[in-house]
Amino acid sequence: MIDINFIKRFKTETKYKKTYKNAKASYLNRIRWAVSSFYCAMGLTFATWASRIPDIKTSLHLSDGDLGSILFALPLGQLLIMPFTGKLITRFSSYRILVFALFFYAFCLTNLGLATQSWHLALGLFAFGLFGNLCNISVNTQGVYTENLFKKTIMGSFHGVWSFAGFTGAFVGLGMLALNLSPYIHFLIVAGIVLLLMVFNYRYLIPTKDTVKQESKKFFSKPDSALLWLGVIGFCSMASEGVMFDWSGVYFKDVVKAPGALVVLGYASFMIMMASGRFIGDSLMRKYERKRVLQISGMMISTGLFISVFFPYLIPCTLAFMMVGLGVSTIVPTVYSLAGKNPTVPPGEALTIVSSVSFLGFLMGPPVIGYIAELFSLQFSFAFIGIFGFVIAIMVNKIKAFA
């Protein structure tokens, strides 16, 4: 571990300025790597669960409606902890909460593999959502602190790591299925990887507490309106993202009629473009007007989804899903970054408001789409979500934070 006191000791000595500069850059990069590893661990954990949903559904003999109802236990856990997350992070510091929550997030993952009855799975998902929310807010608070150290936009790269880990987790899931490993063994292996990432990186998290001064408020006081609107933008983006995660394969199988292994083409094209867009999104935000980039992103989401509805064929849908991936890539990182820089609310509490509202879109979108598809059709469901992109483009133009 690099000694930060060593860096400080030579900061003012002329002959050591180059040594100080190199040591500081090395230490900052190590912090960035550590925070990225926690984003990776979270993305891998969630994708691991998602990759075995069909297998668990079959083993528990659940219908589509039963599974949709059970999946609501996850956002319910998030809703329960939501009022307390920001307060906990502000009081105990995001790095402590992150280490604590990620350990139990991985532990809850392994328990999901032990479910033998539907209520076991629902209870496990409830706890999974609770610790997932703690992880989500605390890791993004660490992301905001790290971005402030670098004094440039880097939040997109963190979310790019999350997306890449999700993509990797999905393909690891396919490999585990090919090896005929049970969900529990699969989940146990991934939990071990997550714990290793924690052990090698937790020392480099930023032990900073929120210092924004606030007037005394009631516990359930009305949140800042700008943060609520940022949350709604995030909700629209992550609802689109969640639908692509859970329904893109079904869409390619049932609507596009993709042959054989090409069923995964829609999901793969979306994930690759979303991850790529997040890695290049930071430079786009620095080069072009932030509001314009997000307006174009919202339009890309809607355009891509409507193309997939009106032209349900292999090549048009593949290109359309790529467009949706690029569209969602820049929105959430930018919304989180702006929330963490709110001048009147501590970063942990600001991110609690914005991230919790946003992530509800990711969690609630897929089951809602299932119900709509059952009433009408899957194409109608995708058209419904397609409206969200237009909502983003309109709202970005009305929020002062994007000015």
Side-chain angles (χ1 to χ4, degrees), residues 59-283:
S59 66
L60 296 181
H61 308 290
L62 300 173
S63 66
D64 290 341
D66 290 337
L67 179 62
S69 298
I70 290 172
L71 288 176
F72 271 114
L74 210 160
L76 188 61
Q78 285 214 328
L79 283 169
L80 179 70
I81 197 66
M82 188 188 303
F84 309 100
T85 305
K87 304 291 183 182
L88 289 170
I89 289 172
T90 301
R91 181 170 181 178
F92 297 107
S93 186
S94 57
Y95 84 102
R96 289 194 182 97
I97 297 296
L98 179 55
V99 172
F100 167 81
L102 185 57
F103 175 84
F104 283 100
Y105 194 46
F107 178 72
C108 289
L109 173 68
T110 62
N111 284 343
L112 293 175
L114 294 173
T116 57
Q117 297 185 43
S118 58
W119 70 268
H120 293 166
L121 183 60
L123 188 62
L125 284 174
F126 179 83
F128 196 59
L130 190 149
F131 287 108
N133 183 268
L134 286 171
C135 284
N136 187 35
I137 307 303
S138 54
V139 78
N140 279 294
T141 303
Q142 284 286 311
V144 169
Y145 287 150
T146 307
E147 189 173 66
N148 290 339
L149 289 177
F150 279 83
K151 295 181 171 57
K152 63 179 181 179
T153 304
I154 61 171
M155 187 66 83
S157 66
F158 289 139
H159 286 258
V161 170
W162 189 94
S163 299
F164 180 78
F167 185 70
T168 303
F171 276 90
V172 168
L174 290 176
M176 295 295 181
L177 281 170
L179 294 172
N180 292 318
L181 290 180
S182 68
Y184 177 68
I185 298 299
H186 177 190
F187 294 169
L188 202 61
I189 292 170
V190 171
I193 294 171
V194 169
L195 290 178
L196 285 175
L197 288 171
M198 288 176 59
V199 168
F200 286 110
N201 293 286
Y202 78 94
R203 293 174 297 169
Y204 298 93
L205 296 177
I206 304 171
T208 306
K209 290 187 178 181
D210 294 329
T211 57
V212 176
K213 294 183 179 180
Q214 290 182 285
E215 296 180 0
S216 179
K217 294 182 179 181
K218 295 180 180 180
F219 188 77
F220 290 104
S221 58
K222 182 180 178 181
D224 186 287
S225 60
L227 294 175
L228 284 177
W229 287 120
L230 287 174
V232 173
I233 291 174
F235 179 95
C236 292
S237 177
M238 293 198 78
S240 306
E241 186 178 330
V243 167
M244 298 302 288
F245 262 91
D246 289 5
W247 288 99
S248 58
V250 178
Y251 196 87
F252 260 60
K253 181 180 179 180
D254 295 345
V255 178
V256 179
K257 307 294 184 184
L262 290 180
V263 167
V264 303
L265 185 60
Y267 175 81
S269 61
F270 166 78
M271 285 298 299
I272 289 171
M273 296 310 293
M274 183 176 70
S276 301
R278 284 178 169 170
F279 284 116
I280 67 173
D282 291 330
S283 59

Side-chain angles (χ1 to χ4, degrees), residues 377-400:
S377 69
L378 195 54
Q379 284 174 280
F380 184 89
S381 299
F382 271 55
F384 175 76
I385 295 296
I387 298 172
F388 286 10
F390 294 131
V391 173
I392 291 170
I394 294 169
M395 291 185 65
V396 165
N397 196 46
K398 294 181 177 293
I399 297 178
K400 292 181 180 178

Side-chain angles (χ1 to χ4, degrees), residues 19-54:
T19 302
Y20 164 73
K21 184 177 180 180
N22 291 338
K24 180 182 178 183
S26 177
Y27 192 76
L28 290 179
N29 286 331
R30 187 63 184 88
I31 292 172
R32 184 175 181 178
W33 176 264
V35 175
S36 296
S37 72
F38 276 79
Y39 275 91
C40 176
M42 286 183 57
L44 183 62
T45 301
F46 187 84
T48 298
W49 145 247
S51 70
R52 299 305 293 263
I53 290 176

Side-chain angles (χ1 to χ4, degrees), residues 341-364:
K341 293 178 175 63
N342 188 289
T344 61
V345 182
E349 295 186 31
L351 283 165
T352 297
I353 297 169
V354 174
S355 182
S356 296
V357 175
S358 300
F359 213 66
L360 283 175
F362 185 79
L363 296 171
M364 296 179 69

